[in-house]
């Protein structure tokens, strides 16, 4: 019988995909959100994790930038 | 017929959006018809420029453009159908085209139908035909005929007239009749018209070379800024013949009569000079826009000006442009700018003007004012001469309130004598009929952007400084020269210095990020194309580029307001700055998330294939993995997929 799972398809570039996978791996098992890694640019995750992922990426981005203090 | 989705960006779109009944009512007035046609022909009723040079040869066909105002093709059709009383079958209209003009033809026809200038008639054979709206037709004919013949002009032209603006969609030769008219009597034009009408044969079979086959053609020449028609009569089609003939043209000047005349100078006390009017208009406009978007409360002097606005205007301004209601301001809450508001600020004055007027008209119904009255008033207003006073008692009550509101915006200036009051249209009003695609802002730019991401703005205009800051930073330093800043959480530029006529700022990643954040917070219910650039419109239909919309807005704002010193540089804003702005924007959009359903565990390959095909036809396949027999579909397709799989043989 065919199974249907509801989730969020994430489509991005390879470094971002790796970032997400790494982030997933760093979480305790109860909080892991990746359902399937489809290929190196697509990931299927739980639907509620969208915002969490975005904020993590934003954090990562900010860590890599430097603003001259005003 | 393809659905040409025209977002109501300009006035004509709004007119087009009116229900049929109201449009018919509008066309009752001859004036409105002329205004619509003028809009269509995109001529501005400004005072005549110096004698025009001989018309240039037809330009090469423009690149693929879907224009927001009425396309030249549509103009052509109107003029061609002007004297045809019966309906013309759609097929015949299509015969007028060259093969590659088909898309433009569709667009033009759609637009004309929308505006109800063309009416569709279905006859028994189920063939569609088009007829020009009879009211519109009579009104324009009256105008043509009643206008004065100003002069006669003979031109030697190429045998081929390829439609207006080198459209290329219609290409057949013309031969004009030699109509020589001397004197300035409209009556003569009448007889010529009649003569032509008699010989007219309605059946458009252009393949025949017959002397008897005549059709009144009209092409447009933009001479003298007034509505003029070139009357040509088409004879045989043979291109060779056409080339051998020269074009003789007569021009008749059509100017309608306004319902009101300027007041004699004896009664008006003192008319302001044109300069005064200009300053008045720009001041009012600035005050109007600045109080609209900036936090009036913080600056007490602005708050005083705010109370002078009528409540209706306040509502108009607030609607859709600020997220919180007016009352919230009293509670010291910070009204945040919505995305539309943000985009509004980046538009140029004409576009802003139109936006406000559109909002004003849309709220008119709520206030119990018939929008058609307003529209007719506005259209008439555009015909008034700049700087001339017009008596207020020629207006109805409704119109008078409207004029008062427009006065607050800076469109007209109200003055009172001892017994009477009058209004004087300013530059903003007379530019009303110009669609904003044609608005060349002769305003001087004021922004210089350097390759080190520094930005210098030379402007004393408070509005611009607020826009840049609004659009700009809340980084607020005590060193600033006594300007009160408005705390709006939008950052674009980090302000470094501010002198009375100069602002120095820097475009930084942080400032841009906040701008992007604020720009995208509001839901994008409709895609408002700010810049009327058709290619951009086309591209924006692709999701990818929607994300770049904001950076595009910001960059275009900087480009359009470039200081004259750098305006001639190519590119106006340095490429590294524009590229960096775009990169920063795309950086925020690295991942794409789509809510979807994953299907797996298919019993057999065939079922999997069938499911995939079904989903593909529904257009919902996001990802397909044949090796593991998994497919991911969009949420919308999920229900159908489920039903399909239940029905499928196990």
């Amino acid at each position: 019988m065919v199974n249907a799972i509801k989730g969020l398809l994430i489509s991005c570039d390879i470094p971002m995909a790796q970032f997400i996978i790494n982030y997933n791996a760093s979480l305790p098992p109860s909080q892991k959100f990746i359902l399937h890694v489809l290929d190196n640019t697509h990931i299927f995750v739980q639907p509620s994790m969208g915002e969490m992922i975005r904020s993590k990426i934003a954090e990562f981005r900010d860590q890599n930038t430097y603003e001259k203090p005003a | 017929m393809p659905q040409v989705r025209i977002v109501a960006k300009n006035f004509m779109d709004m007119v087009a959006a009116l229900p049929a009944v109201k449009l018919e009512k509008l066309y009752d007035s001859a004036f409105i018809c002329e205004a619509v046609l003028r809009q269509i022909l995109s001529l501005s009723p400004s005072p005549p420029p110096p004698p025009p040079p001989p018309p240039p040869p037809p330009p090469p066909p423009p690149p693929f453009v879907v224009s927001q105002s009425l396309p030249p093709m549509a103009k052509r059709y109107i003029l061609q159908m002007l004297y045809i009383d019966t309906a013309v079958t759609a097929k015949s209209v299509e015969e007028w085209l060259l093969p590659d003009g088909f898309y433009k033809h569709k667009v033009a026809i759609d637009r004309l139908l929308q505006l109800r200038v063309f009416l569709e008639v279905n006859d028994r054979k189920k063939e569609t035909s088009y007829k020009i709206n009879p009211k519109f037709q009579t009104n324009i004919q009256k105008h043509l005929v009643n206008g004065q013949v100003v002069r006669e002009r003979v031109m030697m032209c190429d045998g081929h007239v390829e439609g207006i603006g080198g459209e290329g969609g219609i290409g057949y030769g013309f031969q004009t009749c030699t109509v020589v008219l001397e004197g300035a009597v409209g009556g003569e034009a009448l007889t010529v018209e009649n003569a032509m009408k008699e010989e007219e044969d309605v059946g458009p079979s252009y393949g025949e070379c017959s002397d008897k086959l005549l059709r009144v053609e009209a092409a447009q020449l933009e001479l003298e800024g007034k509505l003029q028609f070139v009357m040509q009569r088409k004879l045989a089609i043979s291109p060779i013949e056409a080339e051998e003939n020269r074009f003789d043209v007569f021009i008749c000047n059509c100017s309608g009569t306004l319902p009101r005349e300027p007041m004699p100078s004896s009664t008006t006390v003192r008319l302001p000079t044109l300069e005064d009017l200009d300053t008045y208009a720009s001041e009012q406009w600035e005050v109007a826009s600045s109080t609209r978007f900036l936090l009036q409360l913080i600056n007490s002097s602005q708050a005083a000006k705010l109370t002078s606005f009528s409540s209706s205007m306040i509502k108009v301004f607030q609607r859709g442009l600020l997220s919180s209601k007016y009352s919230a301001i009293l509670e010291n809450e910070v009204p945040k700018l919505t995305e539309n508001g943000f985009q509004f600020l980046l538009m140029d004055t004409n576009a802003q003007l139109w936006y406000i007027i559109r909002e004003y008209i849309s709220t008119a119904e709520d206030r119990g004012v018939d929008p058609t009255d307003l529209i007719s008033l506005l259209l008439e207003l555009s015909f008034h001469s700049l700087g001339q006073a017009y008596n207020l008692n020629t207006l109805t009550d409704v119109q008078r309130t409207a004029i008062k509101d427009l006065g607050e915006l800076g469109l007209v200036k109200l003055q009172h004598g001892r017994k009477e009051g009058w209004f004087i249209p300013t530059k903003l009003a007379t530019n009303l009929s110009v669609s904003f695609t044609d608005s060349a802002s002769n305003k001087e730019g004021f922004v210089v952007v350097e390759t080190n991401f520094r930005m210098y703005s030379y402007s004393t205009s408070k509005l611009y400084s607020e826009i840049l800051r609004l659009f700009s930073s809340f980084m607020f330093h005590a060193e600033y020269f006594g300007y009160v800043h408005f705390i709006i959480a939008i950052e674009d530029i980090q302000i470094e210095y501010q002198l009375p006529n100069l602002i120095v700022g820097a475009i930084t990643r942080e400032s841009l990020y906040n701008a992007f954040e604020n720009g995208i917070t509001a839901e994008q219910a409709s895609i408002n194309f700010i810049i009327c650039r058709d290619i951009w419109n086309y591209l924006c239909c692709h999701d990818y580029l929607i994300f770049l919309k904001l950076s595009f807005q910001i960059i275009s704002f900087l480009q359009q307001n470039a200081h004259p010193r750098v305006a001639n540089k190519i590119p106006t804003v340095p490429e590294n700055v524009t590229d960096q702005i775009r990169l920063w924007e795309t950086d925020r959009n690295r991942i794409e998330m789509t809510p979807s359903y994953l299907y797996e565990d298919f019993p057999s390959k065939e079922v999997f294939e069938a499911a995939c095909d079904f989903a593909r036809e529904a257009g919902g396949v996001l990802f397909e993995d044949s090796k593991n027999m998994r497919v991911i579909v969009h949420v919308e397709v999920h229900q159908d997929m489920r039903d399909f799989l239940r029905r499928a043989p196990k």
Side-chain angles (χ1 to χ4, degrees), chain B residues 292-308:
Chain B
R292 225 180 296 133
F293 299 112
L294 315 183
L295 292 187
Q296 317 80 309
L297 295 182
I298 299 190
N299 189 343
S300 53
S301 64
Q302 294 276 13
K305 286 216 182 107
L306 177 65
T307 52
S308 71

Side-chain angles (χ1 to χ4, degrees), chain B residues 95 204-210 213 237:
Chain B
E95 271 170 35
S205 41
Y206 285 79
E208 299 169 36
C209 293
S210 150
L213 194 68
I237 296 260

Side-chain angles (χ1 to χ4, degrees), chain B residues 261-268 388-392 420-423:
Chain B
E261 288 298 324
M263 285 175 57
S265 46
S266 53
T267 41
T268 59
Q388 292 287 330
Y390 295 89
N391 206 325
L392 274 181
E420 304 163 322
W422 54 85
F423 68 92

